[in-house]
Amino acid sequence: MSKRTKKVKSAGRFGPRYGRRIRKDVVAIEEKMRRKHKCPRCERRSVKRIGTGIWRCSKCGLTFAGGAYLPQTPAGIVAARSVRLSSERAERAAAEEAHVSPPKPQSVEDLQSESSASLEGENDKLLAREGEME
């Protein structure tokens, strides 16, 4: 007996039903799904699908939720990237705040001398105006 599904691969179970394009798409999705994928914890290519959206690493035993056909969906990758970037921005902002030194506290004498100097300046201005008015 010869091989029955050489050209159509896993979609041979459908026979002539559903159309060529749909069967081809099913084959592409199933080939991606049945591959071994990279584990998010140990980085080894040992993750297999054990159920719809449930994935397990055969090396470290990590079981996690993912997409129905791939452990990481394109939308999930975008979401993770945006979360990572926003947390990096927040860390940078916190680091910049930490590096900006607060104003140096002044002694009481310095504050008194500054206030008396500013008051003397204002008094001089007032006297000059009164002199101009007369």
Side-chain angles (χ1 to χ4, degrees), residues 83-129:
V83 167
R84 181 178 48 85
L85 290 175
S86 65
S87 66
E88 286 175 1
R89 284 188 198 120
E91 287 174 4
R92 269 189 263 134
E96 287 176 6
E97 279 185 21
H99 291 305
V100 174
S101 59
K104 188 176 180 182
Q106 297 177 342
S107 65
V108 175
E109 293 84 23
D110 292 340
L111 292 172
Q112 287 175 348
S113 64
E114 284 179 16
S115 63
S116 64
S118 63
L119 287 176
E120 288 174 7
E122 288 179 22
N123 285 339
D124 292 338
K125 288 179 188 176
L126 287 174
L127 291 174
R129 283 188 194 157

Side-chain angles (χ1 to χ4, degrees), residues 8 10-13 17 25 42-43 53 62 64 71 73 75 81 87 91 97 100-101 103 111 114-116 127:
V8 292
S10 66
R13 67 184 185 268
R17 297 183 303 269
D25 290 344
C42 66
E43 300 291 320
L62 174 69
F64 60 96
T73 62
R81 181 176 51 222
S87 66
E91 287 174 4
E97 279 185 21
V100 174
S101 59
L111 292 172
E114 284 179 16
S115 63
S116 64
L127 291 174

